[in-house]
Amino acid sequence: MANGSIYQLIEDCEATNKALYKFYAAVMIVIFILALPLNVSVLHLFIFKMKFWKSNTNNIFLFNLVLADILLLFCLPIKAHNFIQGERRSGNDAVCKAMLFMLFLNRGASIAFLTVTSIDRYFNVVHPGRKNLLKALKKSPHISIFIWLLLLPLTIPTMLKNFDCCNSHKSDGNKEDTLIKDVVDSLREVVFFTQIIIPFIILVYCTVHIVNRLRKKTVGDKTKLRRAVFLVTSVMVVFSLCFLPCTISRVVLLVARVQEWQESYQDKAAVAFDGLMVLSYMDCLLDPLVYCFCSTKFKALYISNYFPCFNKDGPISVDSSSGNTSHPKRNNVI
């Protein structure tokens, strides 16, 4: 294929490697099939069994995290369909903008609630006796509503087709309105990067201090301490695996556009970015596993409700006033 035709495909937001994009689509479909029932079942437990709004724990944040992941999952079949058709985004303008809005709003919400949950855990472990605003607000839905509302204006700059096609800061023969275009391009890139870089810095800080604090503790169940260290470390691994690669590839792609690399290199950078964005959707599958199933209480409740044949100790009850789980047989022994 000639360079000119590759360049035109890039500008038209068409896939230059049809087979590879079909593979991307297959990965998204697999993520959707595995993650949707998992997240829906977790959401069902939060609402009908644990009554998360009455809980004094992180359940309100975790509920919103799972909700954001579910809403993001509904975008994947449409995205997969576009890839199968050889398109990097929908040709319909309304569908394209709606997809970008849903993708960035819910991905941003997923990252935000993941970060807030880690901050809350940081205060509980590192500063257990210190009063903080988050500890006071986490029992109320107001902070969750505020996070969703805060993300809405941050999503608006991304609702442009050329962002999805990675055409930010492209050279243009027409110099009119160049300054305005550059400002808009820069604004949405700032939104994209801050949604990942700032939470990553916060997560690193919280994780390092939590791990250090847990390792210094000499009193307590060492098994629980190891599980807690494993949990906070797993959060960092999941975040790094899902979001850092697409962030780095976005930087490479922008450099390729600004420095006007050869069209073939720009195409490779765009294809790599699309593939790593698909990898970022794995977060929807890994979040419930890391945040929910690392809790022995939640795991026992999940098995008791959905796989009772594997539950050897009988049904588990949930205190609706506190959201805490209890095991009748174990309580009788105690």
Side-chain angles (χ1 to χ4, degrees), residues 90-147:
S90 174
N92 184 291
D93 187 63
V95 174
C96 178
K97 290 183 178 181
M99 280 287 296
L100 283 171
F101 174 78
M102 290 294 292
L103 286 170
F104 280 93
L105 174 65
N106 294 299
R107 198 175 77 120
S110 178
I111 294 174
F113 285 108
L114 182 152
T115 306
V116 172
T117 303
S118 297
I119 294 173
D120 181 67
R121 184 175 289 112
Y122 164 79
F123 280 109
N124 289 337
V125 175
V126 181
H127 306 290
R130 181 181 299 180
K131 294 183 179 180
N132 63 85
L133 182 62
L134 183 61
K135 188 173 183 178
L137 292 177
K138 74 175 183 177
K139 301 177 184 179
S140 168
H142 296 150
I143 187 172
S144 299
I145 296 173
F146 173 76
I147 291 173

Side-chain angles (χ1 to χ4, degrees), residues 4 11-12 18 33 102 107 148 215 220 228 246 281 303 308 321:
E11 295 303 305
D12 292 340
K18 307 289 186 182
I33 293 174
M102 290 294 292
R107 198 175 77 120
W148 282 103
R215 287 178 174 173
C246 68
Y281 302 143
I303 293 174
S321 63

Side-chain angles (χ1 to χ4, degrees), residues 14-28 79-80 82-89 166 267-275 278:
E14 295 184 21
T16 56
N17 190 328
K18 307 289 186 182
L20 184 56
Y21 275 82
K22 288 181 179 179
F23 171 74
Y24 290 165
V27 173
M28 284 190 287
K79 193 75 174 175
N82 294 333
F83 281 4
I84 292 173
Q85 298 298 318
E87 301 172 342
R88 294 173 58 205
R89 51 94 176 155
C166 316
D267 174 61
K268 291 177 181 178
V271 170
F273 173 73
D274 287 339
V278 171

Side-chain angles (χ1 to χ4, degrees), residues 170-188:
K170 65 178 180 180
S171 58
D172 195 343
N174 185 4
K175 299 300 182 181
E176 296 181 2
D177 299 327
T178 300
L179 178 60
I180 297 177
K181 179 184 178 302
D182 287 342
V183 170
V184 173
D185 285 349
S186 299
L187 178 61
R188 61 174 176 263

